[in-house]
Structures are given as structure tokens and as C-alpha cells.
Amino acid sequence: MTAPAFLTVSRVLVALSLLVETGCAVETEETGDTTGLEGDSTGMTDNGDGDGDGDGDGDGDGDGDGDGDPICGDGMVGGDEECDEGAENANEGTCTEACLLPTCGDGYVQPSNDEGCDEGTQNDDLGTCTSACALPACGDGYVQPSNNEGCDDGEDNGTGVSDCTGECAVTECGDGFNGASEICDDGEDNGTGNTDCREDCTTTICGDGFVGSSEACDDGNNVEGDGCSNICTLDGCAVIPPETLFPIAPATLSETELYADIVTKELSADVRVFAPKYTLWTDGAVKTRWISFPECEDVDPAVIDSSDMDGWQMPIGTKLWKEFAVDGKRIETRLEHRFGPNPSDFLFVSYLWNDDETEASLAAAGGVDNAKGTTHDIPSQSECLQCHGTGGAGAGGFPGRWNGFSAIQLSHVDAGVSLEDLINEGLLSDLPPMMLTSYDLPGTVADTEALGYLHANCGHCHNDSATGLGFPSMALWSVTSADQVMDTPVFLTAVGVSLQGFGWTGGNARIEPGDHAASAVWYRMSQRSNNEQMPPIGTEVVDQAGLDMIAMWIDSL
């Protein structure tokens, strides 16, 4: 039996009322469903809440929870979304595909966020992308090898406050950038004299031997009267007759003014003979030596700078001659001449005598082998510099460039100029202490002979002066300050000292006390015509007497 229509309507209203109050579905007798309206359990077109999604929560999203969850990409910002540009969302744009705003470190390069790079968790200030998502750049304060940076001091780059250049390179002396650790740096002009900046990027100081652009001269000292004053201006001793200075070697020996009459061998009035106490072995050649000091207009006399008693500096204009004779025949006469105030203002040349010995002519710059039919060789000009140095560091020789005219070598009472003569004539700028007039080498007679031999034959190269050989670190030049034999450079740097840079199976020491055969110094003195001989030039014959003397001395140690 079908219920009347008003009863059906009433039942529906009651069911709806219960649904609203309890939140539960009500099954009607007429339809048998649980929505209260036509439809299924998921909701169809309406469920009486008015949002049309059939879930009864009224939020329109169909999930029944009533929260209205947003959908990233629908163009509407909701929930946890920071942005939503719909179809325009892009990881490299202004809103990512996850609806997040651009952020440094999210792994996406977003120009809208002023990012030049973004490696996510790999961002590193010292890497290829900084923590601020910027590409490595010189000046950002970070040293980034990927950007070929050796340094980066930020705003201080290139200012001289630090040693970092404007290109993020560590400054080097000579690059033209004056870094914090440098006093100056004029690039290619360093050490040329065009500026006051030396090769080591320090500023020249009068007396350092480097002639800067603000100096007229610099002879490596601050002594007055030697041609260059203590403020590096030319003093009276530089005002000497120009014809007595030879920047370029004269063609003949007679032009050097050694002789007043070269035919009769009458010496010029100002030429004085001298002889060193200890002589250099030159294969038995007989040698005669002379020296001439310059005449100065404003300073009388011209003095020797003896402020370093072991390395005298001669006045500008000084000339020294050394004659070599073999079998009674004059072969050559060498000239050493200081013609200017600078360390390199020296002339070293040789003159070859003619057969009747009435004149000697300038020898070839390359030297002469077996001169005049003898075994004597005239050295080349470059070989002269091997012993006398070039005035540069580590080149051998002494800063004064003279080898046989010194305090120790003139400490004798033999004929010719002596140390006492120079003292009495006022020719030394500084006198020896305690009124000494000679320097005797310390030790026994055997010690002094050995030390003197090594001084004359080895010490001109092996010394610890500014221009002595830098390697090996062995000093065989005796010094005036050594009162005890154990304090001499020979004992300090050679006796019982291991070899340095010389491979030899005969021993391990430069001088092995008590065993000359195991001593490299003795061994090399015994060698000729090979790379092991010492001295390396100027001799082709072993000095047997000298070798035996050194052997006996070593064996006595």
C-alpha cells in the first residue's frame, strides 16, 4: 500500500532534520539510500550542503574534510603555497613548480633572485658557486682556485694594503705592483738605475753598491775621498785627468802609463811595486806586480776604503799591473783598472809582448793559448771575471774586485808596498785595531802556510763576502779577525765538514783531519784537465810542492 504523499514528504523532512543534527546518514523507506537524496555513497550533484560536491562538508573540494586544500598550479595561492602562477610556474622563474619562491640553495638558478649560479647543498664560498649563489669573482674576498685566484683580499686588492693584486694574483717582485711586503716595485726598471728600486724591491741606500736614479754614484761604502762621497755624489777624487781613466782598454801597454819608457822599462813616477805574501800558482810563471793610485784635485791623497779590512775598495783611477814571464821571456802584462764609481766600473785586460819586448799589444778578448810558443795561456776577459767577479752577488771575487792587494797579503817586510807603508802614508781610511801594522795568520807554521796557500789559490772564489760563490758554502779566504786557528773560515767551513754537491767515492769530507787522501780539497788540487780540478782555470800543471805541503798539514790535524 503506497503511503500518502504528505506522509512521504513528512518522513523526508524528519530524516533531513536528523541528518543535520547527528551528522549521520538516514535511510529512507522510499529510496533506501543513505544520502537523503537521490545519489550514491560518494555524493553526486548535491547532498544538501549547497557546495555541489556531494561530500556534505561545504568546502567544495570533495574530500569531506572541510579544509579546502589548494592545488599547486591552479593559479591560486593557498595553504603552504608561497606562490602560484599556474601554468607559468617554473623552477628557474619567479615561482617554482612546487609553488615556492626562488631561494638561494634550492638548486635552481633564478635570475629574478639575482642568482648567477645555484648548486644547492654544494654551494661553497671557495668553490664554483658561493653561498650567496654568486659565481666566483676576483674581489669577493674568497680565494677560488676555479677562478685561477692565488689570493683575494676583497676591497684591498690592488691597493698595496696587501700583497694581492687587482687580478687576485700574489705579488712578485718585478711585476710592477707594489705589495704590502715590498718597499717598491717598478717592474722591468728594477735594478736598472732608471729608478731607485733595486732588484729585490727595496729602495736604494747610499753605500749599498747600487746606483739609483737619485744617486750620482755608489761604490758600496760611505767613505769620503774615494771618488764617491758618503751621500753618493762624486767627490774630489773623481775629478782626475780623464786621460788616466780607461773605460775602454788602450791599444798598447805603453798607453796605460805603467812605464815612463817602455823600451828601457823605466817605471812611471807614481807606479809602485808590490808583492803578496802568499802567491797564486800559475804553472811556475814568474810574476811582477805594480800599483798606481790616482791623483785627485780636491783630495790628497786618494785613500783606500779599508772600512772592511778583509775587502778593500780602491779609489777611482787605481791601476794594478801583473807581468808574467816564462823561461826569462815576458809573455803578458795584465791590467786591472777601476775607472768609475760603480761596482761594475772595472777593466780587466791583457797585453801580449812582442818578441823584442819593446811594446805589448792588447790581447784578443777570447784569450791566447800557448802564447809566444810557451805553455802559458793568456786568459779571456770572461775568465778574468771568474776570479775577480763581476760585482754581482754569487759571482766570485770580492766587492772590491782586487785579490792580491790586501791587509793579509801586504803583512810582510819584503820589498815593495807593505801594510805598514800604507798606514804610515795615510792611505787607509780605517786603521787596524790596537796599532797593528801586520796581520799574521794564526796557528803553527804548518797552519799558516796551509791557510795562506788556500787563501791565495782558492779564497778569491770561495769566500763569504757579498760577491763570493754562494754554493758550496765553503770559505777559504782568511780573515783578519781570526785570532785562533779554530776560528778561521777554513776550519769552520772545511775541516771535518761534509761534502756539499760534489759526488766523490774517495771520502765524505772537504778536509778529513789526519787523512789527506780522503780529503776532497786535496784531491781536487791534484787534478788537471777535467771538471774536478781546482782551481778550475789558470793552471794546467799540478803545483806538486803546494800539494805536498797541504797533504802534510792535513795529516797533522
Side-chain angles (χ1 to χ4, degrees):
M1 179 177 180
T2 303
F6 74 89
L7 276 177
T8 300
V9 173
S10 296
R11 290 174 179 171
V12 170
L13 291 177
V14 171
L16 289 175
S17 176
L18 290 172
L19 181 62
V20 172
E21 291 178 4
T22 64
C24 299
V26 178
E27 181 178 339
T28 61
E29 293 181 1
E30 283 76 9
T31 62
D33 65 26
T34 59
T35 62
L37 292 175
E38 294 180 355
D40 59 22
S41 60
T42 60
M44 291 288 291
T45 59
D46 195 6
N47 57 6
D49 60 9
D51 60 9
D53 61 8
D55 62 7
D57 61 13
D59 62 8
D61 61 6
D63 63 4
D65 61 8
D67 61 3
D69 290 345
I71 299 175
C72 181
D74 60 6
M76 296 182 294
V77 180
D80 294 332
E81 296 178 348
E82 297 177 356
C83 58
D84 195 327
E85 298 178 356
E88 300 299 321
N89 286 351
N91 288 331
E92 287 75 25
T94 55
C95 188
T96 70
E97 295 174 4
C99 288
L100 299 175
L101 291 171
T103 303
C104 178
D106 60 10
Y108 305 114
V109 181
Q110 296 140 329
S112 63
N113 198 34
D114 297 324
E115 298 176 1
C117 59
D118 196 327
E119 298 176 358
T121 58
Q122 300 301 313
N123 287 351
D124 188 335
D125 288 331
L126 306 182
T128 55
C129 188
T130 71
S131 60
C133 288
L135 291 169
C138 179
D140 61 11
Y142 305 112
V143 181
Q144 296 138 330
S146 64
N147 198 37
N148 296 320
E149 298 177 0
C151 60
D152 196 324
D153 292 322
E155 294 180 355
D156 288 337
N157 288 350
T159 64
V161 174
S162 75
D163 279 330
C164 200
T165 71
E167 292 75 35
C168 285
V170 178
T171 186
E172 296 180 359
C173 183
D175 61 9
F177 171 67
N178 192 178
S181 63
E182 299 172 337
I183 297 176
C184 60
D185 195 327
D186 292 321
E188 294 181 355
D189 285 334
N190 288 351
T192 64
N194 294 330
T195 74
D196 279 332
C197 199
R198 294 156 45 103
E199 287 184 351
D200 60 357
C201 286
T202 59
T203 304
T204 184
I205 300 173
C206 183
D208 61 7
F210 169 68
V211 183
S213 58
S214 65
E215 299 174 332
C217 59
D218 196 321
D219 57 3
N221 65 75
N222 297 113
V223 176
E224 295 284 358
D226 64 350
C228 189
S229 74
N230 62 2
I231 58 172
C232 286
T233 58
L234 295 173
D235 65 18
C237 201
V239 186
I240 60 178
E243 64 270 17
T244 65
L245 298 177
F246 308 133
I248 300 176
T252 61
L253 180 61
S254 58
E255 295 176 73
T256 69
E257 301 179 333
L258 168 61
Y259 295 106
D261 187 336
I262 195 170
V263 175
T264 64
K265 306 304 180 288
E266 178 187 355
L267 296 173
S268 295
D270 61 342
V271 174
R272 307 174 65 174
V273 68
F274 78 94
K277 186 174 184 176
Y278 306 104
T279 59
L280 172 69
W281 168 254
T282 50
D283 293 354
V286 176
K287 290 171 283 189
T288 309
R289 303 167 181 83
W290 303 271
I291 193 167
S292 170
F293 297 111
E295 297 180 1
C296 303
E297 292 183 3
D298 301 330
V299 179
D300 187 23
V303 298
I304 298 168
D305 172 16
S306 58
S307 56
D308 179 358
M309 197 57 69
D310 298 313
W312 290 352
Q313 301 271 354
M314 299 297 152
I316 297 172
T318 300
K319 302 170 193 169
L320 186 150
W321 297 267
K322 182 162 58 175
E323 177 187 277
F324 291 75
V326 176
D327 296 331
K329 296 190 300 183
R330 290 182 174 88
I331 305 300
E332 64 159 323
T333 298
R334 300 175 187 175
L335 170 66
E336 304 169 18
H337 173 48
R338 184 181 186 188
F339 60 82
N342 303 320
S344 60
D345 290 343
F346 286 81
L347 185 69
F348 297 94
V349 292
S350 294
Y351 292 87
L352 175 65
W353 283 92
N354 59 18
D355 289 339
D356 58 10
E357 298 183 6
T358 58
E359 185 61 277
S361 301
L362 185 65
V368 179
D369 291 338
N370 300 323
K372 299 186 68 174
T374 69
T375 58
H376 180 81
D377 296 337
I378 296 177
S380 66
Q381 291 184 11
S382 62
E383 287 176 321
C384 291
L385 299 181
Q386 284 185 251
C387 290
H388 292 277
T390 62
F398 269 84
R401 313 290 296 280
W402 313 93
N403 293 334
F405 197 85
S406 65
I408 288 177
Q409 290 284 40
L410 296 179
S411 291
H412 58 67
V413 293
D414 299 331
V417 179
S418 68
L419 176 62
E420 185 173 6
D421 292 335
L422 298 177
I423 293 172
N424 293 336
E425 295 172 27
L427 292 176
L428 299 181
S429 65
D430 296 74
L431 298 179
M434 303 174 63
M435 300 183 68
L436 290 175
T437 57
S438 68
Y439 288 98
D440 295 323
L441 296 179
T444 65
V445 173
D447 289 332
T448 59
E449 289 182 351
L451 293 175
Y453 187 92
L454 294 173
H455 177 85
N457 287 270
C458 312
H460 46 270
C461 284
H462 294 286
N463 62 79
D464 58 3
S465 74
T467 59
L469 289 179
F471 184 89
S473 57
M474 178 172 63
L476 303 180
W477 180 271
S478 290
V479 294
T480 56
S481 59
D483 295 326
Q484 303 294 323
V485 68
M486 299 301 294
D487 295 330
T488 62
V490 170
F491 272 79
L492 293 174
T493 68
V495 175
V497 177
S498 298
L499 294 175
Q500 180 185 18
F502 177 60
W504 180 48
T505 60
N508 298 313
R510 293 168 177 172
I511 296 177
E512 186 66 58
D515 189 352
H516 73 273
S519 301
V521 168
W522 176 87
Y523 168 75
R524 300 194 73 172
M525 287 174 55
S526 71
Q527 299 298 298
R528 289 296 184 271
S529 302
N530 57 38
N531 291 332
E532 297 181 342
Q533 88 163 53
M534 282 292 164
I537 59 173
T539 172
E540 297 174 353
V541 180
V542 172
D543 178 10
Q544 194 60 51
L547 187 66
D548 292 343
M549 181 268 294
I550 292 294
M552 292 179 63
W553 170 68
I554 293 175
D555 290 342
S556 71
L557 296 177

